[in-house]
Amino acid sequence: MSRYGPLVEHLGGIGDPVIRLSFDEIEAIIGGRLPSSARLYPAYWSRGNDLGRRLAAAGWRASPDLSERAVTFSRLNPELPGLARSGAAQVPNAERLGQPRAVAKGLVDDPAQRVERAADSAAKPDVVLVGCVKTKRRGRYAARELYDSDLFRGRRAWAERLGVPWFVLSAEYGLVAPDDVVDSYERSMSDLEPSARRVWSARVIGALKSRGVALRGATVEIHAGVPYRDFGLVEGLQDAGARVAVPLRGLRFGEQVSWYQSRLRGPVASDVREGPVPSYAPAASSAASRSPDIGRVVAALTEDFFDGRLDLSSRPDAPPPGWHSMPECRAVAAIRHLGATDAQIRLFLTLVAALDRARDADTLWTAGQRMFSTDRWAFDPDAVMRHELVELREVLSAHGVSQRHVVDAAAWRIICESLRRGDAPEAVRRAVLDGRGGVPTLLDAVTARTPAGQPWFPYLGGPKVSVMWVRMLADPGGATIDGFEALPVAVDAQVRKVTEYLGLTATAGRPIEDVRAEIQAAWQTGVRHARGPTALAGTGAALDPAVWFLGKWGCTRCEWAGHRMPVGRVCAGCRFEAQ
């Protein structure tokens, strides 16, 4: 398929004779960035160019509005509506009518008619997709704990009962893993126009693939309403070779809640913090009463990781174990190959780390590496300040580095400005630009605020990101940083998971913000045994990557499989049991 094949295919599934798409939406559909010519010259979209000829052959004309960064696509013959992939005719304005109403009138093809409804057979699905709900707890929570309604608790409990990988379909964030920590939000799928829902669906399918979910031949079970399913998600999954099941299709809200209650043998708990036991809870066994030797755990884990002895043969998509397999280390190796200096590398690490909020690390750092290779100016504070904020936003969005594009671009620009200003905390500038600093001073400086009360370095001062960032400045950033004995482990969902399974803490059911210090204290008692790069050995900076790597490629995959698959010596003391 050509570069613009997905765009032509997308237009082919549109019923309206006219549709307007922003450049961002087009780039999401084609899975890459438009060339500069497409953004600067209307002729790029004309029939005299390759793209215009392809569009004309498919029955469309493109009218770009460069000032608004959007393109209006008009059907050459409005009397001939497009065809759905199934071949069923769609009437003009079907999407404007609203998909459910049009389906009810028999006007459009219903993708749900081509999916299975029953989910009570002995065969389990390979992956479950769970729709988000309007009612949420305010603040930042793991996705499994954010949504506060009987319907979502039923969906979550069913997915956890199946013991297969599952994800939340978020109107704001797209595809979210249960342990991803996200902010509450107000957006719902009903807020999105049909075209935006199709872009969202393409984004979800892309995220499934980037997270290593093999769709061809898999069964995907969807527990979400029509706005999530029927605007490209079901078709996209089927096109990728998956079989789709929607067990609650056609049931009303109360009927759905009853469905979950009957199959889960009782009412779903009304308080999310007292709901089904998370899968990382330690099993109730005699082993749970024995306290592990934390020093031995730290030594065995970091040695197996640092020496590349973790056995990941049961995870064919996993990278080879070792320090240089960390996502940020791989990204730095790639941009160093492109000629990046040490100072440029530390700028790269600083700016990308600031946008780490609950992101899949492999996805984030790969996106950052790709952005550096084509838009290096965005990592130069002086160049950033010469460009318009909207240009920065477009670049961050196009490469998938940002999530909330407007606020992320603003934070990126503020950090760049702070690195240029003489009244900003000198310790951060010196560490990033000159490669020298100390841990306690840096942790204080990165959380400092301006006289007006605004952060000098937005996002970078978070309890997880700040710790991770200081370690990265030293390795792979090459800075000379003193005082690493004061640096704790950076706690996220993966680190917490390992801590629980190894019996070092018992924090299941409590928000991660409330247990961070407890988890850090548990590891600190054995941290002097940590193996790592010379400057980091015996500190939390050497331990943290090993724990995170084990959580992502060890524990999480055991959860997905529903049984233990040991990868190293520490797994002998694992307390995981499928729930």
Side-chain angles (χ1 to χ4, degrees):
M1 181 178 289
S2 73
R3 177 180 189 177
Y4 295 107
L7 174 61
V8 174
E9 184 179 4
H10 176 83
L11 293 172
I14 298 297
D16 285 354
V18 178
I19 182 174
R20 184 179 175 87
L21 297 174
S22 69
F23 286 161
D24 287 347
E25 289 173 325
I26 294 171
E27 288 174 338
I29 292 169
I30 67 175
R33 194 179 181 206
L34 288 168
S36 299
S37 298
R39 295 171 172 270
L40 296 174
Y41 306 112
Y44 189 89
W45 303 87
S46 71
R47 292 198 197 189
N49 205 5
D50 178 65
L51 173 57
R53 287 192 293 271
R54 290 179 182 274
L55 290 170
W60 291 89
R61 175 194 300 112
S63 302
D65 185 341
L66 303 183
S67 63
E68 294 294 328
R69 296 178 171 81
V71 180
T72 298
F73 296 93
S74 307
R75 198 176 294 281
L76 293 174
N77 187 345
E79 301 303 318
L80 295 177
L83 298 179
R85 289 177 186 156
S86 64
Q90 294 182 334
V91 300
N93 301 323
E95 287 188 348
R96 197 177 301 128
L97 287 171
Q99 191 81 349
R101 185 193 305 175
V103 168
K105 291 186 176 184
L107 299 177
V108 298
D109 175 51
D110 179 7
Q113 299 296 336
R114 292 177 273 125
V115 304
E116 299 184 20
R117 176 170 175 175
D120 295 327
S121 63
K124 285 185 180 181
D126 297 289
V127 64
V128 176
L129 304 180
V130 169
C132 68
V133 295
K134 181 177 181 180
T135 307
K136 306 173 187 69
R137 301 166 70 187
R138 298 196 64 82
R140 302 191 72 208
Y141 294 92
R144 68 169 79 237
E145 300 172 351
L146 176 64
Y147 306 96
D148 194 12
S149 78
D150 288 342
L151 178 60
F152 182 82
R153 284 189 284 273
R155 290 171 173 174
R156 183 191 69 183
W158 175 256
E160 291 177 339
R161 175 69 60 85
L162 290 173
V164 300
W166 66 281
F167 300 90
V168 175
L169 297 173
S170 164
E172 176 73 20
Y173 300 113
L175 189 80
V176 182
D179 290 327
D180 287 349
V181 179
V182 295
D183 295 316
S184 58
Y185 55 92
E186 299 299 327
R187 178 178 293 180
S188 68
M189 290 300 288
S190 61
D191 296 330
L192 303 180
E193 294 294 328
S195 59
R197 294 181 195 178
R198 292 186 181 277
V199 172
W200 176 91
S201 297
R203 175 183 168 197
V204 166
I205 293 170
L208 281 167
K209 295 176 180 177
S210 69
R211 287 177 180 258
V213 178
L215 294 175
R216 183 161 300 280
T219 296
V220 179
E221 189 172 295
I222 302 178
H223 291 254
V226 167
Y228 296 81
R229 303 190 318 255
D230 291 357
F231 292 86
L233 182 59
V234 168
E235 298 99 317
L237 291 169
Q238 291 173 333
D239 285 351
R243 168 179 165 266
V244 180
V246 184
L248 278 71
R249 178 166 57 86
L251 298 186
R252 292 174 296 212
F253 178 88
E255 294 171 330
Q256 293 183 47
V257 174
S258 298
W259 189 96
Y260 293 117
Q261 290 178 347
S262 65
R263 284 156 180 77
L264 295 168
R265 298 180 181 176
V268 179
S270 60
D271 186 341
V272 68
R273 281 164 284 191
E274 298 176 0
V277 178
S279 60
Y280 54 74
S285 66
S286 59
S289 63
R290 297 196 297 268
S291 298
D293 183 330
I294 297 179
R296 289 181 180 272
V297 169
V298 170
L301 171 56
T302 56
E303 287 172 6
D304 285 354
F305 171 69
F306 194 74
D307 293 339
R309 293 202 301 257
L310 294 176
D311 179 8
L312 302 177
S313 57
S314 59
R315 285 88 163 160
D317 55 338
W323 190 271
H324 296 292
S325 288
M326 294 293 290
E328 65 273 16
C329 292
R330 298 200 307 270
V332 164
I335 69 170
R336 193 184 295 278
H337 182 72
L338 295 174
T341 65
D342 286 346
Q344 288 175 323
I345 285 171
R346 290 190 293 271
L347 282 165
F348 170 82
L349 291 167
T350 298
L351 292 164
V352 177
L355 300 192
D356 181 76
R357 304 186 316 277
R359 298 290 303 278
D360 175 76
D362 290 283
T363 301
L364 173 64
W365 290 99
T366 299
Q369 168 195 330
R370 184 170 58 245
M371 179 170 153
F372 186 93
S373 67
T374 60
D375 293 283
R376 191 174 302 193
W377 66 265
F379 297 90
D380 178 348
D382 292 330
V384 168
M385 300 311 297
R386 290 195 299 268
H387 282 72
E388 296 292 333
L389 183 60
V390 67
E391 296 178 87
L392 177 62
R393 185 187 71 201
E394 289 180 352
V395 168
L396 291 171
S397 171
H399 290 286
V401 175
S402 61
Q403 288 179 303
R404 297 179 297 178
H405 309 309
V406 174
V407 294
D408 286 354
W412 187 288
R413 187 182 177 94
I414 290 171
I415 292 173
C416 287
E417 183 178 12
S418 297
L419 289 170
R420 299 168 71 245
R421 290 181 55 167
D423 55 340
E426 183 184 359
V428 176
R429 295 201 315 276
R430 186 169 62 246
V432 174
L433 302 178
D434 299 334
R436 305 191 66 83
V439 169
T441 304
L442 279 171
L443 292 179
D444 286 341
V446 81
T447 59
R449 291 180 174 268
T450 69
Q454 301 301 314
W456 287 105
F457 303 99
Y459 302 150
L460 205 57
K464 169 199 166 186
V465 173
S466 60
V467 173
M468 180 181 70
W469 167 71
V470 172
R471 187 264 301 167
M472 289 180 183
L473 289 179
D475 197 313
T480 301
I481 307 293
D482 301 322
F484 270 111
E485 62 277 2
L487 194 72
V489 169
V491 176
D492 64 1
Q494 301 294 356
V495 171
R496 179 183 187 177
K497 190 179 299 183
V498 174
T499 312
E500 292 295 311
Y501 284 149
L502 295 182
L504 304 184
T505 59
T507 65
R510 295 159 60 190
I512 196 167
E513 293 84 357
D514 295 347
V515 302
R516 190 182 306 276
E518 183 177 341
I519 293 172
Q520 289 173 332
W523 287 108
Q524 193 64 30
T525 61
V527 76
R528 67 182 183 278
H529 299 281
R531 173 86 178 275
T534 303
L536 309 181
T539 72
L543 173 61
D544 173 75
V547 181
W548 177 87
F549 191 91
L550 177 64
K552 176 166 184 176
W553 297 107
C555 303
T556 296
R557 298 310 174 95
C558 291
E559 290 176 347
W560 289 10
H563 59 84
R564 298 179 190 175
M565 299 184 294
V567 299
R569 288 178 287 168
V570 296
C571 296
C574 177
R575 302 176 183 190
F576 166 74
E577 286 186 7
Q579 302 296 307

